[in-house]
Amino acid sequence: MGKQAIYVGLDVGGTTMKAAAVDDGGKPLSAPAVMDTHPERGQDAGLQTMCETIRRAFAAAQLDLKDIAAIGVATPGLMDIKGGLILDPPNLKPWKNVPVRDFIQKTFNKPTVFQNDANAAAYGEFWVGSGREAKSMVLFTLGTGVGGGIIIDDVIIEGEHSHGGELGHVRIVEPDRGRRCGCGARGCIEAYASATNVVRRARDDMAAYRGETQLRQFFTANNEEFTAKDVFDLAIGGDELAMKVIDDTAYYLALGACAVIGAVDPEMIVFGGGMAVEDWFRDKIDAYVRRFGLPFPVKTVKVKFATLGSDAGFIGAAGCARLAMKTK
Amino acid sequence: MGKQAIYVGLDVGGTTMKAAAVDDGGKPLSAPAVMDTHPERGQDAGLQTMCETIRRAFAAAQLDLKDIAAIGVATPGLMDIKGGLILDPPNLKPWKNVPVRDFIQKTFNKPTVFQNDANAAAYGEFWVGSGREAKSMVLFTLGTGVGGGIIIDDVIIEGEHSHGGELGHVRIVEPDRGRRCGCGARGCIEAYASATNVVRRARDDMAAYRGETQLRQFFTANNEEFTAKDVFDLAIGGDELAMKVIDDTAYYLALGACAVIGAVDPEMIVFGGGMAVEDWFRDKIDAYVRRFGLPFPVKTVKVKFATLGSDAGFIGAAGCARLAMKTK
């Protein structure tokens, strides 16, 4: 036979889901099939959409079911990774206790692997993205929230309660003075460094700022539509307060990275998501990591930006399927 | 043959080293052989003392070299775990770049495994101590410093730079306001919750305290000899300021535990060392973990005290030797 094994990875998000066939070297065989998730239509419809997205991925790569070695599915938490269940994810309301893995496994009669979406993205970057040369890697994904995943020697740190690598909620400021996070706690990384919270911090900093800043007119003109990208753009344009907000963001992310360095001492820390674009921002994070991290590890720990973009989830899900087949 | 395999574990500390033969179920076959480390006599003398301590462990258990399946050696960092080297540990000055693993392996002609001492202690607790029922466990050791180890599914998180589980230097207070740690950074767990720093915080709190406290006379009478145990005793006796110092200690330890929960989400958190004695202290840590940790994991995460005492190191070192033989 000698034929290279092919895997399908499905990445389920609150808005859309994406799937593609991926070869044994981590290369997608087509652009991903994309469908709307419509969680409000209920979980049975959701399971059907997952299967349809997977079928479209077969078709896009001109493959039949028989060509597929295994399927990997990634979803947001809360979940039970080992049980193959979506539990009660805030992004997929009103779904509850959805037996994703078994449903897909039965539908296609293929080995199916279930994983947290941030863990899958981390595995994707580890497998064929910016971490492909690393033996251990930690990913922070910067979006509406801050997600994370930890991979050590091809092992994904899933956690006893499927919360391994829940890095957005590692605390960097003490609870009595930290910013309030969406999770209810205070001082989480996410409360400082998610795209949403970069904008919030910009607004708060502006309120206390005496100098000139373009943030003021931006917030007044389009309060609702102002994004982290706008803060970055103003910083690039030389706005001093915007620069401070971005610099603080790098500092907070570095504190999060330092906590993870103390816990697992990875070879590489990777930041992904819409804010992980500008080299000078990476350099700022890097400098703070070296200033505030454990002296011995930070001599050589690598700080990088992700390279797979929004493909990391389905590529990583396919990679998890591949990993499970190899280690069986 | 059916005979149970026997391993020797050696735990090298800055003051003494201890070794014992341990059976396949984790039971020491004698009291440990103990010798003074005398690091100041140099590393060649140190290596000889390690070998002599191992020989005394054979003798104490009435065993010959041929009865031993493998040897495990645990030392304090800095080290290169994979390379089998002691690098430059502050507790073993003036030793530098000592090839411990290879020396012991050649001397006894037995498979020899090298590990960080806190990781070994964590593995000991995981194997046959308070974590013996757990699939994943994190240990904080509270002594002059704060050490740590993370075990997940029989895998020790060693780290890329042999700093995995360096939990004493996970930051719980921001660098611009945290207490100065022995490592040079600010805000590390160790700067708050090591035995030494419990005493220092007691003294600082006393200086700012207006009320009555027995701490004052204790510090005046024997400033140098006052220990964390004295603070605990005063707290047990009802001294309000001492109670606050201990309560704060529980709070700081819990913040450290919460950071590790966010990173690796273990089934169990274990605290060991001289301060991990009183049930009410464990209960305080436990309550703070549940208050400040990730809601889903802290519903069921277990918070325990270690049960192996100072035997954890050599038992764990023997366990690491056993693990390496089993997974070969």
Side-chain angles (χ1 to χ4, degrees):
Chain A
M1 320 278 282
K3 227 175 48 177
Q4 225 196 23
I6 293 169
Y7 307 89
V8 170
L10 170 69
D11 183 15
V12 179
T15 310
T16 62
M17 53 179 86
K18 292 184 192 184
V22 174
D23 74 13
D24 199 51
K27 190 166 161 282
L29 298 176
S30 74
V34 182
M35 294 186 73
D36 289 338
T37 305
H38 286 304
E40 76 286 356
R41 293 184 187 167
Q43 57 204 53
D44 290 340
L47 287 169
Q48 295 300 343
T49 308
M50 290 185 208
C51 293
E52 179 57 23
T53 311
I54 290 170
R55 278 186 210 103
R56 292 187 185 184
F58 297 162
Q62 298 183 289
L63 294 167
D64 287 327
L65 180 56
K66 68 171 167 36
D67 302 317
I68 306 299
I71 299 171
V73 181
T75 77
L78 300 175
M79 66 205 305
D80 173 355
I81 297 176
K82 283 193 177 53
L85 291 175
I86 286 179
L87 294 180
D88 187 14
N91 294 345
L92 294 173
K93 282 196 186 304
W95 299 7
K96 262 202 180 118
N97 304 324
V98 190
V100 176
R101 186 187 56 209
D102 289 356
F103 187 87
I104 290 178
Q105 184 154 331
K106 274 180 201 157
T107 301
F108 295 102
N109 196 27
K110 289 283 172 187
T112 300
V113 165
F114 187 61
Q115 189 51 267
N116 174 272
D117 56 357
N119 290 353
Y123 191 75
E125 291 290 342
F126 177 79
W127 183 27
V128 290
S130 50
R132 68 190 173 279
E133 307 281 330
K135 292 187 296 298
S136 55
M137 194 203 87
V138 170
L139 175 71
F140 287 85
T141 59
L142 314 177
T144 317
V146 174
I150 302 176
I151 319 288
I152 299 175
D153 288 332
D154 242 7
V155 173
I156 300 167
I157 304 300
E158 298 180 350
E160 171 66 14
H161 313 85
S162 302
H163 272 62
E166 198 68 79
L167 305 179
H169 303 288
V170 168
R171 184 175 281 114
I172 52 174
V173 178
E174 301 121 275
D176 59 348
R177 53 194 301 276
R179 293 178 72 91
R180 174 76 71 182
C181 183
C183 76
R186 284 181 182 277
C188 303
I189 298 172
E190 179 168 305
Y192 292 83
S194 71
T196 318
N197 283 307
V198 168
V199 174
R200 288 195 187 132
R201 281 195 297 105
R203 195 183 47 211
D204 293 352
D205 284 2
M206 183 190 74
Y209 190 65
R210 305 258 163 191
E212 286 286 311
T213 172
Q214 291 190 276
L215 283 166
R216 241 180 278 280
Q217 55 221 67
F218 270 78
F219 271 114
T220 314
N222 50 8
N223 201 350
E224 294 306 309
E225 289 166 32
F226 196 66
T227 69
K229 182 168 186 319
D230 295 313
V231 185
F232 272 86
D233 286 344
L234 289 180
I236 291 168
D239 187 280
E240 275 191 33
L241 185 61
M243 282 166 65
K244 178 193 173 299
V245 172
I246 299 304
D247 191 70
D248 288 349
T249 306
Y251 167 76
Y252 292 123
L253 288 172
L255 289 190
C258 292
V260 180
I261 289 171
V264 303
D265 180 18
E267 181 178 344
M268 186 183 291
I269 312 252
V270 176
F271 295 89
M275 298 202 306
V277 176
E278 302 285 345
D279 281 344
W280 55 265
F281 182 54
R282 193 212 64 86
D283 293 345
K284 272 184 188 292
I285 301 171
D286 189 283
Y288 280 124
V289 165
R290 303 209 191 262
R291 179 161 157 207
F292 291 117
L294 273 171
F296 194 67
V298 300
K299 274 186 206 166
T300 59
V301 69
K302 301 173 187 83
V303 176
K304 296 203 175 190
F305 278 169
T307 56
L308 301 183
S310 61
D311 292 354
F314 67 80
I315 292 176
C320 291
R322 174 178 170 273
L323 183 64
M325 299 304 286
K326 303 236 165 206
T327 53
K328 243 181 191 167
Chain B
M1 321 284 283
K3 227 174 52 178
Q4 227 195 22
I6 293 170
Y7 307 89
V8 170
L10 169 70
D11 184 15
V12 179
T15 311
T16 62
M17 52 179 88
K18 292 184 192 183
V22 174
D23 73 15
D24 199 52
K27 191 166 161 281
L29 298 175
S30 74
V34 182
M35 294 185 74
D36 289 339
T37 305
H38 286 305
E40 77 285 356
R41 292 184 187 167
Q43 57 204 51
D44 291 339
L47 286 168
Q48 297 299 343
T49 308
M50 290 185 206
C51 293
E52 178 59 24
T53 311
I54 290 170
R55 279 187 207 102
R56 291 188 186 182
F58 297 162
Q62 297 183 289
L63 294 168
D64 288 327
L65 179 56
K66 68 172 165 38
D67 301 318
I68 306 299
I71 299 171
V73 181
T75 77
L78 300 176
M79 66 205 306
D80 173 355
I81 297 176
K82 283 191 178 55
L85 292 176
I86 286 180
L87 294 180
D88 187 15
N91 295 345
L92 294 173
K93 282 195 188 306
W95 299 7
K96 262 202 181 120
N97 304 324
V98 191
V100 176
R101 187 188 55 209
D102 289 355
F103 187 89
I104 290 178
Q105 184 154 330
K106 274 180 200 157
T107 302
F108 295 103
N109 195 25
K110 289 283 173 187
T112 300
V113 166
F114 186 60
Q115 190 50 270
N116 173 272
D117 56 357
N119 290 353
Y123 191 75
E125 291 290 341
F126 178 80
W127 181 28
V128 290
S130 49
R132 67 190 171 280
E133 308 281 330
K135 291 186 295 298
S136 55
M137 193 201 90
V138 170
L139 175 70
F140 288 83
T141 58
L142 314 177
T144 316
V146 173
I150 303 176
I151 319 288
I152 300 175
D153 289 330
D154 242 6
V155 172
I156 300 167
I157 305 299
E158 296 179 351
E160 171 66 14
H161 313 85
S162 303
H163 272 63
E166 199 67 78
L167 305 179
H169 303 287
V170 168
R171 184 174 281 114
I172 51 173
V173 177
E174 303 102 275
D176 59 349
R177 52 194 304 276
R179 293 178 73 91
R180 174 75 70 181
C181 183
C183 74
R186 285 183 181 276
C188 302
I189 298 173
E190 179 167 305
Y192 292 83
S194 71
T196 318
N197 283 307
V198 168
V199 174
R200 287 195 187 132
R201 282 196 295 106
R203 193 183 48 211
D204 293 352
D205 284 2
M206 184 189 75
Y209 190 65
R210 305 259 162 190
E212 285 286 311
T213 172
Q214 290 190 278
L215 284 166
R216 241 180 276 281
Q217 56 221 67
F218 270 78
F219 271 114
T220 315
N222 49 9
N223 202 349
E224 294 307 309
E225 290 167 31
F226 196 65
T227 68
K229 182 169 187 317
D230 295 313
V231 186
F232 272 85
D233 287 344
L234 289 180
I236 292 167
D239 187 279
E240 275 191 33
L241 185 60
M243 283 166 64
K244 179 192 173 298
V245 172
I246 299 305
D247 191 70
D248 288 349
T249 306
Y251 167 76
Y252 292 122
L253 288 172
L255 289 190
C258 291
V260 181
I261 289 171
V264 302
D265 180 19
E267 181 178 343
M268 187 183 291
I269 312 252
V270 176
F271 295 88
M275 297 202 308
V277 177
E278 302 284 344
D279 281 343
W280 56 265
F281 182 53
R282 193 211 64 87
D283 293 345
K284 272 184 189 292
I285 301 171
D286 188 283
Y288 280 123
V289 166
R290 310 223 180 252
R291 180 161 158 207
F292 291 116
L294 273 172
F296 195 67
V298 301
K299 275 186 202 165
T300 59
V301 68
K302 301 173 187 81
V303 176
K304 297 204 174 188
F305 278 169
T307 56
L308 301 182
S310 60
D311 293 354
F314 67 80
I315 292 176
C320 292
R322 173 179 171 271
L323 182 64
M325 299 304 286
K326 303 234 166 208
T327 53
K328 244 183 192 168

